Amino acid sequence: MSETQKARSDILSFTKEELEEWVKEAGLPRFRAGQIYEWLHVRHASSFDVMTSLPNRLREELGEHFRIASLKAVQVLESKLDGTKKYLFALEDGNVIESVLMRYSYGLSACISSQAGCRMGCRFCASAIGGKVRDLEAGEMIAQVACMSRLQGERIGHVVIMGSGEPLDNYDQLVRFLRIMGDPKGECLSLRDITVSTCGIVPNIRRLAKEALPVTLALSLHAPSQEKRERLMPIAKKYPLDQVLDAMRVYYEKTRRRITFEYSCVEGENTSPEDARMLSELVRGMNCHINLIPVNPVRERPYQRPDRRKIKAFRDMLEKRGISVTIRREMGRDINGACGQLRRSYLQ
Ligand code: SAH
């Protein structure tokens, strides 16, 4: 990216109100902001030149002040089993991130990254290996959805923030992303159809509860006790399990959104009958659902998934204790390297 490009701010990261403010300061009629916003967030324009309903002079002026965050698909893998597509996108500064597009009965769902790399250090996660490189801007998160939608020629109705990165470690950009995605004049996604997944950054779970953005919050739980959780997730030392669960309860009280717990099943670590008993005690009384995810082995790490029978037995033990639980359906099994592994193989 050249110096001038860097200096220009990314217009995709602007909320409609901010765009209206800019339009006003530029002495233009207010409806221009609506037009620009529609070009960006409904028609997913990738340049100002295509915004043909705007006067030439305004298109030039936009180009002088702003850039439109753009992504280049450097690799696309498509599953022969269910059509799931995994994208490796290059950002303007050359960093790469992963996004995934999945088709469900209710429509297309995008899984997007919130950071290049991650600094949370979860032991089984490929994104953690090189640490965090940088936060993504809201516009770069939006561009992942917009770009996949453009390439697919279809609207994307669901978004999960479960790619690389910890969204609550990039809080301001995340909230900006959510506000733009939910804007009825733009992407117009129902916030209920967006899931934010977190490893449990307590203060920011509490902050998010106050934003009046009723997204589904998923907590990466992965273990039934503080001691076991610390072994898999170093961040648990900073934010102990009881505090994380309290924050999740607050989130539920404020938003009334049922909580999801993600639980990666790791052989020898967290799927014994005793783990099932402890886990059911832990979440007792919470309006929640547990998603069991057979861990995806990462080359650099020793973790393996338990065999299918063991995972099913674990599920049955939870079910018997009255817990709502499913084993996550694996999409794109044939292209399903662990999250972040495509990026790692590109970096090496
Ligand atoms: N930072 C967020 C989003 C991370 S990715 C979070 O921690 O929730 C989404 C989910 O995939 C998380 O639950 C994460 O722990 C899990 N995950 C990461 N690597 C995995 C792997 N190799 N196998 C199974 N699940 C994994």
Side-chain angles (χ1 to χ4, degrees), residues 118 120 122 124-126 161-167 197-200 218-222 233 262-264 293-298 328 338-339:
C118 184
M120 297 298 129
C122 297
F124 47 80
C125 177
I161 308 175
M162 290 190 185
S164 293
E166 167 50 47
S197 177
T198 179
C199 62
L219 177 78
S220 294
L221 185 58
H222 303 324
M233 306 174 72
E262 287 155 279
Y263 196 95
S264 294
I293 316 164
V295 77
N296 256 314
V298 171
R328 176 169 306 158
C339 319

Side-chain angles (χ1 to χ4, degrees), residues 209-225:
K210 292 191 204 134
E211 300 277 0
L213 291 166
V215 293
T216 301
L217 193 57
L219 177 78
S220 294
L221 185 58
H222 303 324
S225 69

Side-chain angles (χ1 to χ4, degrees), residues 207-257:
R207 251 172 106 188
L208 191 63
K210 292 191 204 134
E211 300 277 0
L213 291 166
V215 293
T216 301
L217 193 57
L219 177 78
S220 294
L221 185 58
H222 303 324
S225 69
Q226 172 65 14
E227 185 212 335
K228 286 201 169 188
R229 195 161 185 264
E230 276 183 17
R231 277 221 303 267
L232 293 172
M233 306 174 72
I235 191 70
K237 294 192 186 103
K238 184 158 180 197
Y239 301 113
L241 191 48
D242 52 349
Q243 290 180 25
V244 176
L245 292 179
D246 277 350
M248 294 303 284
R249 284 189 193 95
V250 169
Y251 191 83
Y252 175 75
E253 288 306 318
K254 291 263 190 221
T255 61
R256 293 279 147 188
R257 301 291 300 145

